[in-house]
């Protein structure tokens, strides 16, 4: 694995798909921490299948436990969570590692023009269908590649890509929470991500050891139309400085951030928010009024910065078409 990953990095790739798993996961081990370091050090996006342990211990497989990694679960054609799709993490990191990141189609997938062991009577290949989170992850990887092609700046900003896909993810039919235990932020929404990026509803910055923790590190003003909502996502690409691939378990220790939503009079307004103890925060602002409202989203450091390494912060906001 390490040799293959390093070979890809020499080719200058911007996004990597991983459809395999080490161990049964659930903890923050060196398998995942090392890939977090690779993402931080190389400014690339890495997508990992969540794993197919849903019917056993349900644990996210490594390196999908990485905080900087897109971890993708599976849904069927009716947008129901696949029985096999992994989603569980250990209690020791619950609320700190938000997994899976999102879900994508992964059941009964047919890949045209692939070699199969059986042939039709006319000699053409039988297109057998397959299932697994290894089919969901490439959906997200392909989406990221398309977005990079349309918005080239994203190639070196994994924090913007991750916050964008999280903010724009669609609710599943049975999803009742902003962050679903089995689906994460929800279903991959390519058109929603394109709209967010086209409208330039995102902002990013770098936090260094000298960053003043008494002031806002990110500020974004948005207008939410009447009778609709805005989903926002904050992501911190951090470095645990684990430079070897191993099964060693590490304690999580990273800078915490807090998000405040203010109205045009600078009054703090209510908003739904999850992941406040994680490097990933998702929130929702609902405008039930009969006219558009202007809001300011402020991201501040919650305490001192942890560690001497730079942190790469992204904030994206998706304005929904309606409630």
């Amino acid at each position: 694995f390490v040799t293959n990953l390093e070979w890809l990095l020499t080719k200058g790739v911007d996004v990597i798909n991983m459809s395999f798993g080490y161990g049964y996961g659930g903890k923050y081990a060196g398998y995942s921490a090392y890939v977090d370091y690779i993402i931080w050090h190389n400014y690339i996006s890495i997508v990992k299948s969540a794993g197919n342990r849903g019917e056993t211990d349900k644990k996210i497989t490594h390196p999908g436990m990485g905080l900087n990694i897109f971890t993708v679960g599976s849904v069927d054609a009716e947008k129901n969570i696949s029985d096999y799709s992994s989603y569980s993490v250990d209690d020791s990191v619950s609320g700190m590692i938000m997994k899976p990141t999102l879900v994508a189609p992964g059941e009964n997938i047919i890949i045209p023009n692939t070699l199969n062991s059986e042939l039709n009577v006319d000699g053409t290949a039988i297109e057998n269908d397959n299932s697994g989170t290894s089919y969901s992850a490439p959906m997200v990887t392909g989406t990221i590649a398309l977005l990079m092609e349309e918005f080239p700046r994203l190639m070196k900003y994994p924090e913007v890509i991750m916050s964008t896909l999280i903010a724009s993810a669609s609710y599943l039919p049975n999803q009742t929470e902003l962050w679903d235990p089995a689906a994460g932020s929800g279903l991959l929404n390519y058109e929603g991500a394109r709209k967010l990026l086209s409208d330039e509803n995102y902002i990013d910055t770098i936090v260094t050891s000298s960053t003043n923790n008494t002031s806002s590190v990110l500020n974004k003003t948005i207008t939410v139309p009447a009778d609709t909502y805005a989903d926002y996502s904050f992501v911190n690409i951090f470095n645990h400085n684990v430079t070897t691939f191993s099964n060693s378990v590490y304690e999580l220790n990273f800078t915490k951030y807090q998000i405040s939503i203010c109205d045009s009079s600078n009054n703090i307004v209510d908003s739904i928010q999850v992941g406040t103890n994680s490097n990933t925060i998702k929130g929702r602002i609902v405008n039930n009024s009969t006219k558009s409202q202007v809001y300011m989203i402020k991201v501040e450091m919650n305490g001192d910065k942890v560690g001497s390494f730079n942190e790469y912060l992204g904030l994206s906001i998706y304005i929904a078409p309606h409630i």
Side-chain angles (χ1 to χ4, degrees):
F1 160 74
V2 173
T3 301
N4 293 335
L5 178 58
E6 291 177 348
W7 180 84
L8 286 169
L9 295 175
T10 65
K11 301 301 179 182
V13 300
D14 299 301
V15 58
I16 295 173
N17 184 83
M18 294 182 176
S19 292
F20 60 89
Y22 283 89
Y24 298 150
K27 299 179 175 66
Y28 189 66
Y31 297 129
S32 297
Y34 170 72
V35 179
D36 275 344
Y37 167 77
I38 291 296
I39 293 169
W40 175 88
H41 188 69
N42 294 275
Y43 314 104
I44 63 172
S45 294
I46 293 182
V47 182
K48 165 73 175 73
S49 55
N52 303 320
R53 306 283 304 174
E55 296 178 291
T56 52
D57 64 6
K58 304 176 176 57
K59 300 295 187 186
I60 299 285
T61 57
H62 291 296
M65 288 293 292
L67 277 80
N68 300 339
I69 298 169
F70 290 87
T71 306
V72 186
S74 169
V75 294
D76 63 20
E78 283 71 46
K79 302 178 183 178
N80 298 309
I81 299 294
S82 303
D83 292 339
Y84 54 76
S85 188
S86 297
Y87 60 86
S88 179
V89 303
D90 280 4
D91 290 342
S92 61
V93 293
S94 179
M96 300 178 73
I97 296 183
M98 308 286 286
K99 297 294 174 179
T101 313
L102 73 170
V103 293
E107 282 198 38
N108 306 121
I109 304 299
I110 295 175
I111 304 175
N113 303 317
T114 54
L115 182 63
N116 291 274
S117 58
E118 299 178 77
L119 298 176
N120 291 308
V121 292
D122 62 357
T124 59
I126 295 175
E127 295 177 337
N128 295 317
D129 61 355
N130 293 277
S131 299
T133 58
S134 290
Y135 293 90
S136 307
M139 301 269 188
V140 175
T141 306
T143 294
I144 292 172
L146 288 172
L147 293 173
M148 286 179 173
E149 183 178 35
E150 186 173 0
F151 306 96
R153 182 177 182 272
L154 298 180
M155 291 180 183
K156 297 302 179 184
Y157 289 85
E159 64 274 22
V160 173
I161 300 174
M162 184 172 285
S163 60
T164 292
L165 292 192
I166 291 173
S168 61
S170 303
Y171 258 32
L172 298 175
N174 297 321
Q175 186 172 343
T176 59
E177 301 176 22
L178 197 60
W179 195 278
D180 185 84
S185 58
L187 181 66
L188 175 68
N189 179 359
Y190 170 58
E191 288 300 333
R194 287 188 68 245
K195 182 179 186 303
L196 188 162
L197 294 166
S198 296
D199 294 343
E200 297 186 349
N201 278 333
Y202 66 90
I203 189 172
D204 56 86
T205 193
I206 300 174
V207 168
T208 68
S209 295
S210 61
T211 301
N212 189 337
N213 67 354
T214 62
S215 59
S216 298
V217 292
L218 284 174
N219 292 286
K220 182 69 175 176
T221 300
I222 60 167
T223 300
V224 182
D227 195 34
T228 192
Y229 67 88
D231 278 353
Y232 59 87
S233 175
F234 165 82
V235 170
N236 165 22
I237 300 294
F238 87 111
N239 178 25
H240 212 66
N241 203 34
V242 176
T243 58
T244 57
F245 193 71
S246 73
N247 61 0
S248 300
V249 176
Y250 294 88
E251 289 188 13
L252 280 171
N253 187 26
F254 49 85
T255 308
K256 301 296 176 62
Y257 294 88
Q258 61 186 19
I259 299 178
S260 301
I261 311 299
C262 302
D263 61 18
S264 57
S265 300
N266 207 35
N267 298 311
I268 295 179
V269 301
D270 292 333
S271 71
I272 307 169
Q273 202 171 100
V274 294
T276 54
N277 291 317
S278 177
N279 77 317
T280 302
I281 300 174
K282 184 172 184 178
R284 172 169 289 181
I285 307 166
V286 179
N287 179 13
N288 287 315
S289 70
T290 58
K291 61 180 182 180
S292 296
Q293 300 287 341
V294 176
Y295 300 94
M296 168 73 80
I297 303 179
K298 299 180 180 179
V299 180
E300 301 168 292
M301 213 180 291
N302 187 5
D304 294 330
K305 183 182 181 301
V306 174
S308 60
F309 300 104
N310 291 346
E311 296 173 359
Y312 304 99
L313 312 183
L315 174 69
S316 298
I317 305 99
Y318 173 66
I319 309 296
H322 54 76
I323 288 182

